[in-house]
Amino acid sequence: MAEPDLTAPAAATHRRAWRAARITPYGEVLSPPRLTATAIRLAVQVFLAGCLWGALYSHTSSSAGLTREQAVSYAVLAALAARIRNLDRAAGRDTITQHLRFGTIVYWFLRPLPPRTYYAIRALGDQLYGFVWVLAGYLVCRACHMVAAPASAGAALAFAAALILGQLVLYHIMLIIDLVCFWALRNNGATMILQLTQNMLSGVYAPLWFFPGWFVTLSGFLPFQATLNIPLSLYIGRIPVSEAPHHLAVQAGWVVTLALFTRWLWHRAGLRIVSQGG
Amino acid sequence: MAWEPLGWLRRFRRAWWVAWRITVLNVRAQLEYRGDFLMVIASGIVWQMSILVFATVLLARFSGLGGWNSSQVLLIVGMRLFSHALYVLVFGRATNLTYLVQEGMVEVWLVRPMPAFRQAQLAHFPSNGIGDLIVGVSLFTAAVSRSAVHWTPGRIAFLFAGVIGGMLMEGAIGVTLASLTLHHPTASYWNMWVDELWQRLGAIR
């Protein structure tokens, strides 16, 4: 009698997870217009960011502790990093807001899989796909000398760790924005404000080092700067490697805090869903 | 059939009256969710403020941009925000066309006795435009008062022509991209891209 394949259930679970994770990326890959639009958007955004910051530094060599090379690298990397969670699910009627509006959110709670796990798998797929674009863009920008190399090998390692933690923080922030839908029938305003705040306080528009001291201090008490400002500042050397453990600990603290908070929110959200009287 | 000016004028006035009534109904419907209505207005303020903050930070760190001094850059930013606010209020519904196409609303519009484009523009009231307008007008007024330009009637007319022109240019681009969504849903990607382009670089470039 053949030995039972004990890995079969695990392999099946991984296959199902992979199929769920690839839904949104698959929709984009199978649509040449979307791929073209994504590539052109990214290229133009990166080009303009590089030109803008290069022009700003045309009459100065340093500002806010950043040299021209550091500022241009930061701006280009920020333009690239903004692509990681920028997949458009709305065109496929696949955002939580749309699921709530059309009632299909109930299926999330009827599957033999917790909705928070399903959401996490989908988000992982989106972020991994976005990361492929970022990596391709990074290699092109390095070849064109738009982005400098990491400040040091230690900075590169710290950057990699901070980037992963930053993406986890970003995941939870986006999750909170989506979970607001379960309480507000219309959450357009809250969603827009949170997304704009995230963009402003994470350093997407401009490195936080250019802002007044009180602004930088205030942003230090919020999780947004952990998503992008910390990893990029480590990369360009604005935050020395000696201070990396402190900043990585801050990021890890936010990941744990937001994970606990979102877990509680999912539980509360589930109590608001009614399906077949239950 | 001979052109009847009075009949045309009557139809024109009636069309505007219907549009006004629909707009009032849209606002009243949004006021049913007062919290969200105020948040949407606040989001417009935050959107405009993010551009202003970006420009202010750069002006504080870098003396002049491209040879323009701070008051000149502020005037450009003020004009930009004002024209954008007008665009959002007049043409801003165009960006939602993707979702209205998904919901099958276009088929409904085609059987109504009103042009489909007009119905697209009346589909909802962009409350965030109120927030945009508050910031846009405020900054525009402040920038004009700080400007060293000697304002003659000709220059004032030119200034407002620039603001209106900015609104119409943004509207032309927005409506063109929105109309592409009638043919393919992925055109919404271009809408999103133009929106973030204007947000990040529209005033500074």
Side-chain angles (χ1 to χ4, degrees):
Chain A
M1 188 173 160
E3 290 288 334
D5 185 4
L6 297 177
T7 63
T13 301
H14 290 145
R15 266 200 308 276
R16 282 193 290 270
W18 163 244
R19 283 188 193 142
R22 73 180 187 180
I23 290 174
T24 318
Y26 216 36
E28 185 165 297
V29 167
L30 291 178
S31 179
R34 287 192 190 185
L35 280 180
T36 309
T38 302
I40 293 177
R41 278 173 68 184
L42 196 57
V44 172
Q45 207 78 346
V46 165
F47 176 74
L48 290 176
C51 288
L52 171 65
W53 286 94
L56 287 171
Y57 273 80
S58 59
H59 298 296
T60 184
S61 60
S62 174
S63 181
L66 296 177
T67 63
R68 179 183 182 281
E69 196 178 55
Q70 286 177 315
V72 172
S73 296
Y74 185 109
V76 169
L77 288 172
L80 287 172
R83 180 75 193 96
I84 293 180
R85 271 301 292 272
N86 207 17
L87 271 175
D88 180 23
R89 287 197 195 176
R93 249 172 58 172
D94 200 18
T95 61
I96 284 197
T97 309
Q98 288 167 315
H99 280 296
L100 276 162
R101 185 173 176 193
F102 296 110
T104 48
I105 191 67
V106 67
Y107 299 121
W108 286 42
F109 292 84
L110 295 177
R111 291 189 184 115
L113 180 75
R116 66 173 182 273
T117 306
Y118 178 70
Y119 183 97
I121 292 172
R122 293 290 306 274
L124 178 65
D126 291 359
Q127 283 176 285
L128 286 176
Y129 173 73
F131 185 69
V132 170
W133 278 102
V134 171
L135 187 61
Y138 174 75
L139 293 173
V140 170
C141 290
R142 283 286 293 131
C144 298
H145 304 289
M146 286 187 78
V147 172
S152 63
L157 285 173
F159 162 72
L163 185 66
I164 293 171
L165 288 172
Q167 288 305 304
L168 286 172
V169 174
L170 178 64
Y171 160 75
H172 286 108
I173 291 174
M174 302 297 287
L175 175 57
I176 290 171
I177 293 173
D178 281 335
L179 288 175
V180 168
C181 309
F182 284 90
W183 283 269
L185 285 176
R186 291 165 58 98
N187 72 334
N188 301 331
T191 303
M192 279 194 277
I193 288 176
L194 278 169
Q195 286 180 338
L196 287 168
T197 306
Q198 149 68 18
N199 286 340
M200 196 156 42
L201 295 179
S202 64
V204 170
Y205 297 150
L208 293 183
W209 307 106
F210 286 94
F211 288 80
W214 62 267
F215 190 91
V216 178
T217 304
L218 174 67
S219 65
F221 290 100
L222 298 170
F224 307 107
Q225 51 94 22
T227 61
L228 202 64
N229 187 62
I230 289 179
L232 296 188
S233 299
L234 284 167
Y235 181 95
I236 62 175
R238 183 60 177 80
I239 296 178
V241 178
S242 58
E243 292 180 23
H246 165 72
H247 290 283
L248 291 175
V250 167
Q251 285 183 299
W254 277 115
V255 169
V256 171
T257 304
L258 292 174
L260 291 172
F261 180 59
T262 52
R263 193 179 179 94
W264 177 75
L265 275 183
W266 267 120
H267 169 70
R268 301 295 302 179
L271 295 176
R272 299 179 64 85
I273 298 293
V274 177
S275 171
Q276 298 177 349
Chain B
M1 187 167 69
W3 182 58
E4 299 174 350
L6 284 179
W8 176 86
L9 186 63
R10 197 178 304 120
R11 286 191 298 273
F12 181 77
R13 283 176 55 188
R14 176 149 183 91
W16 274 99
W17 181 81
V18 170
W20 171 250
R21 288 296 306 271
I22 294 174
T23 303
V24 168
L25 280 171
N26 281 333
V27 173
R28 286 176 61 185
Q30 290 193 23
L31 283 172
E32 289 297 311
Y33 303 95
R34 278 189 289 270
D36 187 67
F37 181 74
L38 293 173
M39 291 281 265
V40 169
I41 293 177
S43 72
I45 293 174
V46 170
W47 196 97
Q48 298 277 62
M49 289 301 292
S50 67
I51 298 175
L52 181 60
V53 165
F54 180 55
T56 306
V57 164
L58 295 187
L59 284 174
R61 290 287 180 178
F62 302 96
S63 54
L65 294 171
W68 301 75
N69 62 37
S70 59
S71 62
Q72 291 169 332
V73 172
L74 203 61
L75 182 60
I76 293 172
V77 174
M79 289 177 67
R80 161 83 188 102
L81 296 185
F82 191 14
S83 63
H84 176 75
L86 292 175
Y87 155 72
V88 171
L89 281 173
V90 178
F91 298 109
R93 305 99 172 135
T95 53
N96 283 337
L97 199 55
T98 301
Y99 313 111
L100 295 172
V101 168
Q102 283 179 350
E103 293 171 18
M105 292 306 298
V106 177
E107 284 79 4
V108 176
W109 295 341
L110 293 175
V111 297
R112 286 181 184 157
M114 183 186 278
F117 178 73
R118 195 181 304 169
Q119 293 186 70
Q121 293 298 334
L122 294 172
H124 78 280
F125 180 75
S127 309
N128 55 311
I130 298 175
D132 289 344
L133 195 64
I134 291 171
V135 176
V137 169
S138 303
L139 183 65
F140 178 75
T141 307
V144 167
S145 62
R146 279 189 58 180
S147 172
V149 175
H150 175 62
W151 295 109
T152 62
R155 285 179 177 169
I156 293 172
F158 191 46
L159 177 71
F160 280 96
V163 172
I164 301 298
M167 175 194 77
L168 292 174
M169 177 58 74
E170 204 169 335
I173 295 172
V175 170
T176 302
L177 291 175
S179 63
L180 293 176
T181 63
L182 293 170
H183 300 276
H184 205 286
T186 59
S188 61
Y189 271 42
W190 298 102
N191 260 327
M192 289 162 54
W193 171 57
V194 168
D195 212 29
E196 67 188 25
L197 199 64
W198 276 327
Q199 185 186 20
R200 293 193 205 174
L201 301 166
I204 297 301
R205 275 182 302 129

